């Protein structure tokens, strides 16, 4: 692959309804889209940062800086790229900034798949033609509000609900949902809102037949999570604590979790996601694909990675209509009865519509490659 041009876009899309987690409320999603142009084709990647460094330390500004001043120049310095794994290797000298790396690496993966006439799912080694998904539901003021929202998604056919919790909005809310919807799969996501002192909360959740509790303790911890896991029955799933294969290995060896949520951006890209996948498969650790309220571009990447065989639990990649009145891809992502059919069109499998990208672009910059290579 010879890259002629990279285009960075700072995007803003308003969510249909504000999304509340234990670290804040989000109403308009700010993120970046990266386009990699080569020989008449375009690869697309989404940088799943936010405007504020609340989920992790990156923001749209830091990611733009990393991409423009470091990652894109590094890519242009390399004569030729045979395979996207080389991009992951190239970027490994830069510490962290995983979402910035992942956006450019993901665009290269899309381009690579298109140039080889393969779906991204197939290019990654995926084996499924359909994937199971659920919905991630934000914290609600009252149980009635929460039940109404769950009911709406149940009526849309979703069978697995992830419900955000925080101190004071936990056991009663989840118990209410369990009582009203005895048949659905429920998981709780704390986004690091608790400490080991709160073990009784998790013992109470043990009574409610949850698939898992996600990231209950500190975002940078794997020690206390191991202590918590040894005291409760519900499997602990790590999200924020896992940034790499090494993090996954340490957490699994310590017994800090029984399940891992992979977010491509959080772990620095698709190549690292596949490595974590293969490791977890060998250790019997089930995976699922998390979400960052992506636009259609990131959503398509999530669908592709979820086709790998050890993504055995339903992910957070709900259909486009859960988030947006209008997505930037055609067709939009649809889930029927909680199942998404995987596209076999080369690359990410959806058409990215330039006019729709433009509509939600706040700022755009074209960064040309070297005109002639030696
Ligand atoms: O913890 O999984 C999380 C969104 C933003 C930041 C963190 C998380 C989330 C979600 C939303 O749960 C998942 C989605 O619907 O994309
Ligand atoms: Mg989470």
């Amino acid at each position: 692959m010879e890259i002629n041009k990279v285009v960075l876009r700072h995007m803003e899309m308003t969510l249909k309804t504000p999304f509340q987690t234990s670290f804040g409320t989000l109403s308009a999603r700010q993120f970046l889209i990266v386009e990699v142009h080569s020989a008449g084709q375009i690869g697309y990647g989404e940088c799943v940062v936010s405007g504020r460094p609340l989920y992790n330390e990156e923001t749209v500004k830091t990611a733009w800086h990393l991409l423009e001043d470091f990652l894109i120049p590094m890519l242009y310095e390399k004569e030729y790229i045979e395979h996207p794994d080389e991009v992951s290797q190239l970027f490994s000298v830069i510490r962290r900034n995983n979402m910035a790396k992942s956006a450019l690496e993901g665009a290269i993966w899309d381009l690579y798949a298109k140039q080889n006439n393969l779906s991204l799912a197939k290019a990654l080694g995926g084996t499924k033609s359909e994937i199971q998904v659920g919905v991630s539901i934000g914290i609600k003021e009252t149980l009635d509000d929460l039940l109404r929202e769950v009911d709406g998604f149940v009526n849309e056919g979703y069978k697995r609900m992830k419900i955000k919790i925080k101190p004071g909005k936990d056991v009663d809310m989840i118990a209410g949902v369990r009582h009203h919807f005895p048949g659905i799969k429920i998981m709780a996501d704390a986004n690091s809102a608790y400490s080991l002192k709160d073990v009784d909360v998790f013992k109470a959740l043990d009574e409610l037949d949850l698939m898992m509790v996600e990231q209950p303790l500190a975002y940078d911890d794997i020690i206390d999570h191991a202590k918590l896991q040894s005291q409760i029955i519900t499997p602990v799933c790590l999200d924020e604590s896992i940034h790499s294969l090494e993090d996954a290995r340490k957490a699994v060896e310590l017994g800090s979790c029984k399940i891992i949520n992979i977010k491509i951006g959080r772990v620095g890209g698709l190549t690292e996601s596949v490595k974590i996948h293969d490791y977890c498969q060998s250790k019997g650790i089930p995976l699922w694909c998390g979400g960052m309220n992506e636009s259609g571009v990131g959503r398509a990447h999530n669908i592709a990675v979820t086709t790998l065989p050890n993504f055995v639990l339903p992910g957070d990649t709900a259909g486009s209509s859960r988030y947006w009145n209008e997505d930037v891809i055609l067709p939009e992502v649809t889930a029927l009865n909680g199942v998404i059919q995987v596209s076999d069109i080369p690359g990410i499998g959806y058409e990215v519509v330039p006019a729709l990208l433009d509509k939600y672009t706040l700022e755009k910059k074209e960064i040309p490659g070297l005109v002639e290579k030696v």
Side-chain angles (χ1 to χ4, degrees):
M1 286 172 276
E2 285 207 342
I3 315 299
N4 315 121
K5 178 170 81 173
V6 179
V7 180
L8 294 181
R9 293 171 180 269
H10 177 180
M11 309 286 292
E12 184 176 76
M13 289 170 72
T14 302
L15 287 163
K16 270 187 177 174
T17 50
F19 186 74
Q20 191 186 342
T21 59
S22 59
F23 54 77
T25 302
L26 183 79
S27 16
R29 185 87 185 83
Q30 289 208 25
F31 59 98
L32 306 179
I33 292 288
V34 177
E35 298 173 11
V36 173
H37 293 240
S38 165
Q41 281 177 310
I42 307 176
Y44 291 94
E46 177 161 339
C47 183
V48 298
V49 285
S50 324
R52 296 175 295 169
L54 303 180
Y55 170 78
N56 74 347
E57 65 280 10
E58 298 180 78
T59 68
V60 284
K61 278 197 186 176
T62 69
W64 186 290
H65 165 54
L66 263 287
L67 283 158
E68 182 174 9
D69 298 331
F70 297 99
L71 302 173
I72 295 168
M74 284 167 84
L75 190 68
Y76 285 154
E77 266 170 38
K78 203 165 152 69
E79 291 263 299
Y80 193 78
I81 296 153
E82 206 80 53
H83 190 276
D85 286 349
E86 296 160 30
V87 179
S88 171
Q89 179 64 31
L90 182 70
F91 292 166
S92 64
V93 297
I94 303 268
R95 293 194 178 163
R96 298 189 193 249
N97 292 285
N98 283 353
M99 291 176 176
K101 291 174 182 170
S102 171
L104 184 52
E105 190 242 37
I108 302 269
W109 265 106
D110 178 26
L111 185 65
Y112 169 81
K114 284 171 174 156
Q115 291 190 345
N116 288 278
N117 214 24
L118 284 171
S119 67
L120 179 59
K122 287 266 158 47
L124 290 167
T127 51
K128 298 174 208 159
S129 58
E130 54 180 46
I131 63 161
Q132 310 267 346
V133 297
V135 185
S136 175
I137 299 177
I139 295 166
K140 301 289 168 207
E141 276 320 302
T142 67
L143 177 60
D144 274 354
D145 292 345
L146 178 59
L147 293 176
R148 212 171 304 118
E149 181 128 344
V150 172
D151 191 51
F153 290 126
V154 167
N155 287 331
E156 285 182 40
Y158 290 105
K159 297 173 184 1
R160 185 228 72 168
M161 305 295 155
K162 176 171 113 178
I163 295 161
K164 297 285 185 180
I165 56 170
K166 68 176 184 182
K169 289 254 163 61
D170 41 39
V171 180
D172 292 350
M173 299 291 250
I174 302 289
V177 175
R178 173 48 80 222
H179 177 74
H180 283 84
F181 300 94
I184 63 168
K185 292 178 177 166
I186 305 177
M187 44 207 271
D189 186 0
N191 289 108
S192 298
Y194 298 87
S195 75
L196 266 188
K197 288 194 230 98
D198 302 308
V199 64
D200 288 346
V201 170
F202 299 100
K203 288 193 167 158
L205 290 176
D206 266 347
E207 305 297 316
L208 299 174
D209 186 27
L210 302 186
M211 294 176 81
M212 71 194 79
V213 55
E214 186 180 343
Q215 197 72 33
L217 309 181
Y219 70 92
D220 53 358
D221 169 77
I222 53 170
I223 305 287
D224 284 358
H225 279 103
K227 292 184 183 165
L228 178 66
Q229 181 68 90
S230 72
Q231 296 173 65
I232 63 172
I233 299 157
T234 308
V236 170
C237 168
L238 288 177
D239 172 352
E240 282 91 329
S241 293
I242 306 296
H243 303 97
S244 62
L245 171 61
E246 271 300 280
D247 285 352
R249 178 184 67 76
K250 290 168 186 166
V252 170
E253 285 185 11
L254 275 175
S256 317
C257 63
K258 292 182 179 166
I259 299 172
I260 289 178
N261 148 342
I262 288 194
K263 290 180 183 169
I264 305 162
R266 194 193 68 230
V267 304
L270 284 164
T271 296
E272 193 73 11
S273 299
V274 174
K275 287 184 185 166
I276 297 172
H277 169 272
D278 294 351
Y279 169 76
C280 287
Q281 189 171 34
S282 78
K283 294 292 170 189
I285 299 289
L287 299 177
W288 55 281
C289 183
M292 290 296 294
N293 304 117
E294 287 89 348
S295 82
V297 173
R299 201 158 297 283
H301 283 262
N302 289 346
I303 293 169
V305 84
T306 305
T307 65
L308 292 169
N310 195 40
F311 282 81
V312 289
L313 299 167
D316 274 349
T317 311
S320 301
S321 67
R322 185 262 177 275
Y323 310 85
W324 320 113
N325 287 316
E326 173 182 66
D327 205 336
V328 297
I329 55 166
L330 279 177
E332 64 171 37
V333 174
T334 50
L336 194 66
N337 292 320
V339 175
I340 293 175
Q341 300 301 320
V342 180
S343 166
D344 52 18
I345 296 170
I348 59 172
Y350 295 83
E351 184 200 345
V352 182
V353 183
L356 291 172
L357 279 184
D358 284 343
K359 185 168 169 184
Y360 300 103
T361 297
L362 299 177
E363 189 183 350
K364 172 176 161 179
K365 183 156 186 174
E366 306 205 352
I367 302 167
L370 300 179
V371 180
E372 278 190 350
K373 303 213 172 185
V374 191

